[in-house]
Amino acid sequence: MSINELWDLALGMFYATGIWAINWKYPTMWAVAFFFLYLAIVKKFEPLLLLPIGFGIFLVNFPLVPLMGYNEEGVPHLIQFFYRYGLEWEIIPCVIFLGLGAMTDFGPLIANPKTLLIGAGAQLGVFVTFTGTVLAGFTLKEAASVGIIGGADGPTTIYLTQHLAPQLLGPNALAAYSYMAMVPLIQPPIMRLLTTREERLIRMKQLRPVSKRERILFPVIGAGIIAILVPAVMPLMGMFMLGNLMRESGVVSRLSDTAQNALMNIVTIFLGVSVGATMQADTFLSWKPLLIFGLGLVDFAVCTAGGILTVKVMNLFLKEKINPLIGSAGVSAVPMSARVSQIVGQQYDKKNHLLMHAMGPNLAGVIGSAAAAGMFIAMFD
Amino acid sequence: MRRHLLIFVLWALGASQCWSEDFLGVPLLPGGKVTSWTNDKAEVHYALPYEQILEFYKSHFTDNRDVKFRDWKGETYIEDHGASPWHSVRISKGQPVVTVTITRDSWAWILGTLALRFISVFVVLMFLYIGLSISGTVMSRLVTEAD
């Protein structure tokens, strides 16, 4: 073998590596990936999602890596395969909702159904942010997908974004999960700002016990009403109510257990890594993700305020007053925001237990954000 | 028949008035009579078949994913969800005159639809509230009777 042939061979081997194609964009994306891995591993912020998302970002941001494209025969690469059949086909968010339904105890909401209105009021930020996002230069569909971040519901955000503005899937999902993890930091100042000391001390009557029949009826009634009024969101809510019916009926405990654990864990892995893999340097490094993070924060704040203000308005008409601190739980972020209501409440009265009361608006927030998503889908479809 | 002929003659006489090829970037099919032309809205009457006009706009917007066609009872409503300066094109299904109305994108529409949808979220949850309240009451009565 001549020296020239040896040189060509070495050159060929060099071009088969990714070294020659690395530019500044890749290390920038590695830094983004490490930031989210840090949040997940060190800070324990939503680790179930942020860890696979962070690693997904890391994996796809190397040149020549066959993960998120198609081979010469048009067959999808590994993560592209997960993405196409899981997210493009809008399957994973719905399966996650099945698991969430199977994990959810609607007792507090059934015992005090007027807290449903708090879940509606807490969607204020979704619609306010829509306006701000349009002003920032996004299209209407993009604005809807950014607005829903404030609903603090990851699967709903992913579902709506995939449906309306798939190009924003990565930043939107990241913003939603990051801010959901930061609820204990974002909400308390707003809660203190919008309530008086007297309001924070309001004690609420203990919730009535809820019968098994009521628990079984809830997903049936809920699915029926939502199917009639917001059919666009039934892929999500139908699965949610099915999961809940499996749980409450008590006759399919094996299915309920699978939906809550094994199935939920499997789809969470695929969801996280697929969402992370959408954030390739060429599409992610622009002004839009930064704006989305800024708008998402405003969105969360306005949604929190919306829930609290809704309670204050309701209190004008109610004989038995509601502690407005539970209004902040109207953003879904289950059960984190309900816990925040409890913690802030106990800072003023150690014997005031708000957790179960806050679970009502918390669960209403899940339904409310899905309803808001349905409104947007109906608007554009 | 005579009425149609009269309309056509009137049409032909008026068609030459103030013609432009597009309004806010939306093309106008030649041969129409402009009945209204302001900064925010243009209205043009055509003596052409509705299908021909619809086909013209369908072929124009064929590659635009931000444009949505909605087939309503009395008209076809074409809506833009992108960043174009126009908001909608309405094509009436009237005979013998088809009216094409193009409107500018407006904040009034955006804010109006958002307010309406926010209220709708309340309505959905209000219905759920009513449903739960009724079922709760019925269940409580049944339990009391059983006891």
Side-chain angles (χ1 to χ4, degrees):
Chain A
M1 184 181 276
S2 70
I3 290 182
N4 274 349
E5 283 171 337
L6 204 63
W7 173 248
D8 284 346
L9 193 65
L11 212 59
M13 283 173 68
F14 176 71
Y15 281 125
T17 71
I19 300 167
W20 61 273
I22 284 182
N23 58 38
W24 66 272
K25 289 179 178 176
Y26 294 108
T28 310
M29 290 309 294
W30 300 340
V32 173
F34 291 146
F35 174 68
F36 287 103
L37 287 173
Y38 168 79
L39 289 183
I41 298 166
V42 181
K43 293 287 178 186
K44 309 247 179 328
F45 282 176
E46 292 282 341
L48 290 177
L49 257 305
L50 289 188
L51 189 141
I53 289 178
F55 203 69
I57 299 172
F58 183 62
L59 283 180
V60 296
N61 281 291
F62 288 90
L64 310 183
V65 168
L67 284 173
M68 218 22 202
Y70 295 86
N71 71 12
E72 285 163 3
E73 285 86 44
V75 178
H77 292 153
L78 181 70
I79 303 180
Q80 179 68 252
F81 192 80
F82 300 154
Y83 174 77
R84 187 203 271 189
Y85 297 113
L87 288 173
E88 262 186 17
W89 287 21
E90 297 172 357
I91 289 169
I92 290 180
C94 301
V95 177
I96 287 195
F97 254 65
L98 177 78
L100 288 177
M103 292 163 86
T104 303
D105 172 12
F106 276 105
L109 184 66
I110 300 168
N112 190 7
K114 51 180 173 287
T115 54
L116 275 163
L117 301 182
I118 305 172
Q123 306 311 314
L124 177 70
V126 172
F127 295 91
V128 170
T129 307
F130 184 109
T131 316
T133 313
V134 173
L135 277 173
F138 288 72
T139 66
L140 295 181
K141 285 182 178 177
E142 289 176 337
S145 74
V146 173
I148 204 71
I149 292 172
D153 193 325
T156 305
T157 304
I158 290 168
Y159 183 80
L160 186 71
T161 305
Q162 182 58 46
H163 201 85
L164 298 182
Q167 68 278 14
L168 299 183
L169 184 64
N172 279 4
L174 264 185
Y177 282 110
S178 304
Y179 289 135
M180 277 160 67
M182 290 181 208
V183 157
L185 303 175
I186 299 168
Q187 288 196 321
I190 302 163
M191 293 160 78
R192 289 191 193 99
L193 185 73
L194 293 177
T195 53
T196 62
R197 187 177 166 77
E198 290 71 40
E199 284 173 328
R200 285 175 226 143
L201 292 171
I202 292 174
R203 285 200 181 182
M204 294 172 68
K205 209 172 83 179
Q206 198 178 357
L207 293 172
R208 69 172 175 85
V210 176
S211 68
K212 188 176 175 181
R213 280 185 193 173
E214 280 179 277
R215 287 173 190 273
I216 293 173
L217 264 182
F218 173 77
V220 180
I221 294 174
I225 290 173
I226 294 167
I228 289 170
L229 297 177
V230 206
V233 84
M234 275 315 275
L236 282 181
M237 290 314 289
M239 289 291 109
F240 190 57
M241 295 303 180
L242 171 63
N244 192 248
L245 185 61
M246 290 190 325
R247 171 200 170 94
E248 299 299 351
S249 67
V251 293
V252 284
S253 51
R254 275 168 49 197
L255 302 188
S256 174
D257 178 60
T258 304
Q260 287 180 44
N261 299 298
L263 185 59
M264 185 79 159
N265 292 340
I266 291 167
V267 290
T268 301
I269 295 169
F270 292 142
L271 175 73
V273 79
S274 308
V275 167
T278 62
M279 280 178 274
Q280 288 167 298
D282 288 338
T283 51
F284 188 79
L285 292 176
S286 70
W287 55 274
K288 278 191 172 176
L290 280 178
L291 258 179
I292 288 170
F293 270 79
L295 289 162
L297 184 60
V298 175
D299 202 349
F300 254 71
V302 180
C303 282
T304 303
I308 295 168
L309 294 175
T310 305
V311 175
K312 292 178 92 141
V313 172
M314 286 169 73
N315 276 345
L316 297 175
F317 306 97
L318 292 173
K319 213 184 276 178
E320 283 178 16
K321 305 293 180 200
I322 299 173
N323 189 321
L325 290 179
I326 72 166
S328 62
V331 302
S332 28
V334 183
M336 186 82 85
S337 53
R339 281 193 202 132
V340 170
S341 299
Q342 161 88 353
I343 291 165
V344 176
Q346 291 205 327
Q347 286 170 357
Y348 296 90
D349 178 0
K350 288 218 177 325
K351 289 182 181 166
N352 197 1
H353 299 285
L354 293 173
L355 184 63
M356 289 317 284
H357 296 289
M359 282 309 290
N362 213 183
L363 299 170
V366 177
I367 301 171
S369 61
M375 297 294 162
F376 285 138
I377 292 172
M379 182 172 164
F380 295 111
D381 271 4
Chain B
M1 184 65 197
R2 213 184 270 172
R3 203 170 122 245
H4 286 181
L5 193 67
L6 181 66
I7 288 170
F8 182 77
V9 171
L10 288 172
W11 188 272
L13 289 172
S16 57
Q17 291 175 7
C18 163
W19 190 254
S20 174
E21 283 180 346
D22 74 284
F23 181 74
L24 301 170
V26 179
L28 290 170
L29 196 63
K33 181 185 177 185
V34 176
T35 54
S36 169
W37 192 281
T38 66
N39 209 21
D40 299 323
K41 190 177 130 185
E43 194 176 275
V44 187
H45 287 184
Y46 290 94
L48 298 168
Y50 158 78
E51 290 76 18
Q52 186 183 336
I53 297 169
L54 181 64
E55 192 49 47
F56 171 74
Y57 284 107
K58 273 191 173 165
S59 62
H60 180 75
F61 293 122
T62 187
D63 293 328
N64 194 334
R65 290 181 61 198
D66 287 326
V67 171
K68 192 84 193 166
F69 281 73
R70 295 175 201 274
D71 187 19
W72 289 350
K73 200 180 173 189
E75 65 183 14
T76 289
Y77 184 78
I78 308 169
E79 197 172 55
D80 173 57
H81 299 142
S84 311
W86 62 277
H87 169 62
S88 66
V89 179
R90 289 164 180 265
I91 308 167
S92 76
K93 291 178 180 173
Q95 283 295 336
V97 174
V98 175
T99 307
V100 173
T101 312
I102 305 164
T103 50
R104 181 185 284 278
D105 221 351
S106 78
W107 276 100
W109 177 83
I110 292 176
L111 295 176
T113 191
L114 286 179
L116 207 63
R117 281 163 209 280
F118 182 47
I119 293 165
S120 302
V121 173
F122 269 96
V123 171
V124 172
L125 295 189
M126 183 73 88
F127 270 94
L128 206 52
Y129 169 35
I130 294 165
L132 284 184
S133 300
I134 292 169
S135 70
T137 311
V138 171
M139 285 295 157
S140 304
R141 275 191 196 165
L142 286 175
V143 170
T144 314
E145 279 172 20
D147 288 344

